[in-house]
Amino acid sequence: MCISMIFFVIAIDYRKRKMIELEDEKRKQYVKSDFLDDVDYALETMKYMHDMQRGKAEIRNVVEKEDVSIRLVEWLEAQYLMGVSTVTTYVYTVPKRVKTVLDHYGKLGKLEQVPLTLPGHSPNLPLVRSQYIARNRQQKRRHELIPYNDCLYRHISTHRYILILDIDELIVPMEHNNYFDLLKTIEQDTPSDRITSLSFPNVFKFPSKLVNQSIPEHLYMLRNSHRSRKTSDRRNYGKSMTSTANVATVFNHFALHRLTPNVTGTIYVPERLGVKLHYKGTCPIESRNECDELQTDTVLDHSIDRFADELERRVNQTLSELRFL
């Protein structure tokens, strides 16, 4: 029995050693591949910048996959319809029509544009910067802490809550007509002087052939009538309304540091009160194990229906003023 046990232990050690060796080989291959890719990227960038200095190259514009200006109007009007008083957007480089949209709302006093560059020695030529951001996801997230917290401190004395969103996200109150009434209900259970973050559950709305044909084609959010049946785990993909009175720093999903120990942690708002609609073009890599379910198991979504008529009216009015229609 002792010998059997010894052989058993040796076998485990052998397999473990072989697994480690295989993993090391794979890691070396990946490192080598990543290193060579980085070298190619660095050489290409250096050549491009050298040619620019010698007048042999022009600053290349970032190529947009699609014109999002009309979708941006729909998204902004949806935010204002829900009760958002002002939108602060941080801008690297945007296409002309998108800039036209931002300028339009800026003139109305409803939007502030903050020019943004990457910090330190990170690249800021538009094309190089876009490539850098795409290739460095973790560093991108670290850099984004700067505008997130700038947003907090810009509004710390003017607003009770801030909400950090991407332009494919919309929080919809399910029982109320606007955020003000929604927050009033939540604060009946938890006083505002104890709230840090109010996190809303995420549901995905991927592109679908099952669209609401009665809605004009330029209204992307309203036409996209189906959502994933499954609501994301409350710890994943939720976005928060964050109290400016009780937090010191923020991340895009929740508050990072509280000002005092006497306030709550993140409060997870039940789906019956509010939900975050996430209009993703593709399934995120973090959900790769459940992408098939999320994209194929869908249900009809009525959460935004009662806002549809007014949202359509506002969007059409703005697009007419901008001469986009």
Side-chain angles (χ1 to χ4, degrees):
M1 182 177 289
C2 289
I3 294 176
S4 297
M5 289 182 67
I6 291 172
F7 276 115
F8 183 70
V9 172
I10 290 174
I12 293 292
D13 286 343
Y14 173 75
R15 292 192 187 102
K16 184 186 292 185
R17 187 167 64 251
K18 293 301 291 184
M19 289 174 65
I20 292 173
E21 290 174 356
L22 288 172
E23 288 298 321
D24 285 343
E25 285 298 319
K26 289 181 180 179
R27 192 177 297 111
K28 288 177 182 177
Q29 291 175 5
Y30 290 144
V31 169
K32 183 178 180 181
S33 176
D34 290 344
F35 174 74
L36 292 177
D37 286 345
D38 288 342
V39 169
D40 290 341
Y41 168 68
L43 290 174
E44 179 185 350
T45 301
M46 290 169 64
K47 182 179 184 303
Y48 170 52
M49 297 179 71
H50 177 68
D51 288 345
M52 276 191 59
Q53 290 178 335
R54 299 184 63 186
K56 292 184 177 181
E58 297 179 353
I59 296 179
R60 291 174 282 182
N61 292 325
V62 178
V63 178
E64 296 292 324
K65 293 182 179 179
E66 58 180 328
D67 177 15
V68 299
S69 56
I70 293 179
R71 284 184 60 177
L72 180 60
V73 170
E74 184 184 18
W75 181 82
L76 284 167
E77 291 296 348
Q79 304 301 328
Y80 299 132
L81 182 57
M82 298 301 166
V84 170
S85 61
T86 184
V87 172
T88 301
T89 179
Y90 293 81
V91 182
Y92 287 125
T93 303
V94 294
K96 183 177 179 180
R97 278 168 61 98
V98 171
K99 188 68 167 64
T100 299
V101 172
L102 298 178
D103 289 344
H104 171 78
Y105 287 102
K107 291 175 183 176
L108 297 176
K110 301 169 74 173
L111 182 145
E112 180 183 8
Q113 299 179 61
V114 181
L116 187 64
T117 57
L118 293 178
H121 298 290
S122 300
N124 276 297
L125 287 172
L127 180 65
V128 180
R129 180 174 56 208
S130 294
Q131 293 175 338
Y132 175 84
I133 290 173
R135 295 169 62 91
N136 295 273
R137 293 184 67 196
Q138 293 306 317
Q139 189 59 42
K140 164 184 172 290
R141 290 171 177 169
R142 296 186 190 100
H143 285 336
E144 286 174 348
L145 288 171
I146 298 172
Y148 296 157
N149 286 278
D150 179 80
C151 180
L152 168 65
Y153 283 97
R154 278 177 185 268
H155 301 95
I156 204 165
S157 61
T158 59
H159 291 74
R160 292 199 301 129
Y161 292 92
I162 64 166
L163 172 60
I164 299 171
L165 290 177
D166 298 325
I167 63 171
D168 60 0
E169 298 173 320
L170 174 67
I171 290 179
V172 180
M174 303 299 287
E175 297 182 356
H176 304 83
N177 293 324
N178 52 61
Y179 293 157
F180 178 82
D181 292 338
L182 170 62
L183 289 168
K184 190 175 180 180
T185 295
I186 294 173
E187 290 172 353
Q188 289 176 354
D189 295 325
T190 306
S192 60
D193 60 359
R194 296 192 63 239
I195 292 174
T196 55
S197 293
L198 302 170
S199 179
F200 290 82
N202 173 83
V203 295
F204 287 110
K205 300 193 73 168
F206 298 109
S208 171
K209 295 179 181 179
L210 302 173
V211 298
N212 187 341
Q213 298 290 347
S214 66
I215 302 294
E217 290 187 8
H218 63 272
L219 296 169
Y220 179 82
M221 291 194 298
L222 292 180
R223 275 176 66 88
N224 193 338
S225 56
H226 281 69
R227 50 158 281 190
S228 298
R229 183 187 303 274
K230 181 177 182 179
T231 301
S232 300
D233 184 284
R234 68 179 191 173
R235 296 164 296 181
N236 299 327
Y237 303 109
K239 285 295 179 73
S240 298
M241 295 181 182
T242 300
S243 168
T244 57
N246 299 325
V247 303
T249 61
V250 294
F251 186 50
N252 61 332
H253 292 281
F254 43 75
L256 277 182
H257 298 100
R258 311 173 210 173
L259 285 176
T260 72
N262 299 322
V263 294
T264 67
T266 298
I267 295 175
Y268 295 97
V269 178
E271 190 172 347
R272 64 177 178 81
L273 287 181
V275 65
K276 189 198 79 175
L277 304 181
H278 202 168
Y279 294 84
K280 290 290 288 184
T282 58
C283 186
I285 189 172
E286 293 84 358
S287 296
R288 56 187 173 274
N289 293 332
E290 54 181 357
C291 279
D292 185 61
E293 176 188 1
L294 292 173
Q295 292 178 305
T296 59
D297 186 12
T298 61
V299 294
L300 197 60
D301 175 37
H302 296 290
S303 61
I304 200 173
D305 288 0
R306 60 197 173 96
F307 301 100
D309 290 343
E310 178 61 16
L311 179 57
E312 181 176 351
R313 185 193 69 79
R314 293 187 182 196
V315 172
N316 288 340
Q317 179 179 334
T318 299
L319 293 179
S320 296
E321 292 174 2
L322 295 173
R323 298 182 179 179
F324 280 6
L325 283 183

